[in-house]
Amino acid sequence: MIADDVWVKLLWAGLNLEAHDLPRSKAGPIHPVELVRAVTLTWLFSGQRSNEIARLRLGCVRWQHDGDPVAGNSTQILARDAVCLLGRAAHKTGTAFTKPVDPLLGQAINAWQALRPSQPKHTDKRTGEQVDFLFSYRARTISSGYINSTIIPILCRKAGVPAVDARGSITSHRARSTIASQLYNAKEPMTLFELQAWLGHRSPGVHPVLREDQPQHADQGVRGRRVLRPERTHYRGPRRP
């Protein structure tokens, strides 16, 4: 897991990501900021493995209000009243399924989809299908190592935190166990079986270690069709000289 104070700073960095934070070539940013922001918020809010994020497909987000589908850009329904659902393809321990996520994630994905150029289909190595991957640009998809090699260094640099702590390097999978622990220890906690379903595990026995001594300032959970967002007022960015 990632320490709470570091996790809050990484959340701040992801939510405030700008084009000047991205790696650049002579021609400009290697990837559009909308793509990088969508990948970043997917990592911070979805609790998915890095290879599952890389395999997300175009149109994986949909919205509901009172059980009825709505457009993601609807002006008639407040964002806090709509439930954002993220569809995930078949994965390591189970079949495809859909789960509720923070609307901020859905909005970031919608923003990237609106700008995403038409891309050739690619083969999903797990299913053998020809599919439209969400995170595809210039005929190439992001790799399963993209979060570790690119996203995490960007966020650590912006947040002013080291990429290595007492437990070792900050990795994409450590975020998954961090989110799971927060969901389990939130003010309105998920049960073990709700958490099992949300993470996509077949058995409760494969959950990461869940600790009950975490502060409650960064609750992030799903319960009763409501997504609890982390409180971001406690961190306003690194101090400027």
Side-chain angles (χ1 to χ4, degrees):
M1 290 185 287
I2 300 171
D4 293 326
D5 58 334
V6 174
W7 182 246
V8 169
K9 292 177 181 179
L10 293 175
L11 283 169
W12 172 86
L15 291 167
N16 291 277
L17 198 64
E18 301 292 344
H20 61 78
D21 298 313
L22 309 186
R24 302 178 70 87
S25 66
K26 292 182 179 179
I30 299 172
H31 289 112
V33 65
E34 292 82 7
L35 181 152
V36 179
R37 187 179 292 124
V39 175
T40 299
L41 294 192
T42 303
W43 177 61
L44 290 170
F45 288 98
S46 73
Q48 301 212 119
R49 302 176 182 90
S50 58
N51 68 316
E52 293 165 349
I53 293 173
R55 293 177 57 236
L56 286 173
R57 300 178 182 182
L58 202 62
C60 62
V61 164
R62 57 191 178 89
W63 301 78
Q64 283 187 350
H65 181 258
D66 289 339
D68 297 320
V70 296
N73 59 356
S74 175
T75 58
Q76 299 179 348
I77 298 174
L78 296 176
R80 66 174 180 268
D81 295 327
V83 176
C84 180
L85 300 173
L86 179 67
R88 190 169 75 171
H91 58 98
K92 179 180 177 182
T93 58
T95 58
F97 74 101
T98 300
K99 66 179 183 179
V101 294
D102 193 302
L104 289 173
L105 166 54
Q107 292 162 10
I109 288 179
N110 284 348
W112 165 237
Q113 286 187 151
L115 297 175
R116 178 184 180 274
S118 178
Q119 300 290 305
K121 292 181 182 292
H122 291 80
T123 302
D124 187 325
K125 295 180 180 179
R126 186 170 293 274
T127 65
E129 299 173 281
Q130 290 288 305
V131 301
D132 291 307
F133 286 119
L134 173 64
F135 298 124
S136 179
Y137 183 65
R138 293 180 177 172
R140 299 183 64 180
T141 61
I142 66 167
S143 69
S144 59
Y146 180 73
I147 293 173
N148 284 337
S149 65
T150 302
I151 298 299
I152 292 175
I154 290 173
L155 298 184
C156 289
R157 185 165 55 248
K158 185 175 181 68
V161 300
V164 179
D165 60 17
R167 294 184 175 91
S169 298
I170 295 176
T171 64
S172 61
H173 200 72
R174 286 179 63 186
R176 180 172 164 87
S177 58
T178 300
I179 294 169
S181 182
Q182 292 178 349
L183 289 167
Y184 189 71
N185 294 291
K187 293 177 182 177
E188 297 182 60
M190 297 177 72
T191 67
L192 189 60
F193 291 101
E194 288 172 334
L195 184 59
Q196 172 191 344
W198 195 81
L199 290 172
H201 285 163
R202 289 179 176 176
S203 168
V206 297
H207 287 311
V209 175
L210 302 174
R211 57 192 175 98
E212 299 181 354
D213 59 345
Q214 296 201 98
Q216 299 300 317
H217 66 275
D219 290 347
Q220 180 181 13
V222 180
R223 187 171 178 83
R225 294 163 52 100
R226 183 165 63 91
V227 177
L228 302 177
R229 298 178 181 174
E231 297 177 11
R232 297 182 286 276
T233 56
H234 298 282
Y235 185 71
R236 301 182 183 278
R239 293 181 180 178
R240 297 181 179 180

